[in-house]
Structure formats: C-alpha cells, structure tokens
Amino acid sequence: RAEYATINILAAIVLNMVPVLLVLFLTNRIERALGRVGLIVIRKAFGIILLAISIKLFAGNITYLFPHDQP
C-alpha cells in the first residue's frame, strides 16, 4: 500500500477476480485438458512465481525491519 494508491489496489483486485472466477468455473475442463503431469507442472511454475513475489516483497521491506538510525 505504500507504493500504490488505494483506488489502484482495489481496481487490481477486481480485475484479478475475473480470471480467478473463470478458472474456478472451468477447473474440470482445464484438468482434463492438461492431465495429471500438466497440472503438476503448472503447480510448480506458480509456486516459483509466488516465491519470487514473496522474495521481492521481503527484500523491498527489509529496511523497515532493521532501520539504520540505531547507534
């Protein structure tokens, strides 16, 4: 929230809800199309993406955990 305005955050949440709902409604079709191995690959790929996002957030906010003002 420190980097973006509240309206931009709300717009991003609403815009992300559309594909999430679409995927939830089409889960059975997606599962049949990709198969077991395809789902495993997708799961691992999204795990790596989430890990990268968490590292970016942590690295960007590490200075707030350990301020330089201390003697």
Side-chain angles (χ1 to χ4, degrees), residues 54-68:
S54 66
I55 290 171
K56 181 184 181 299
L57 288 172
F58 183 77
N61 293 316
I62 192 76
T63 57
Y64 297 115
L65 292 173
F66 305 107
H68 293 93

Side-chain angles (χ1 to χ4, degrees), residues 24-49:
L24 286 175
F25 287 129
L26 299 174
T27 300
N28 290 332
R29 289 184 185 175
I30 293 170
E31 185 176 357
R32 277 187 264 130
L34 293 176
R36 185 175 170 359
V37 176
L39 288 176
I40 292 171
V41 170
I42 295 293
R43 185 179 298 144
K44 290 190 182 280
F46 279 111
I48 292 170
I49 292 169

Side-chain angles (χ1 to χ4, degrees), residues 4-14:
Y4 303 103
T6 304
I7 191 70
N8 291 340
I9 294 171
L10 290 175
I13 290 172
V14 171

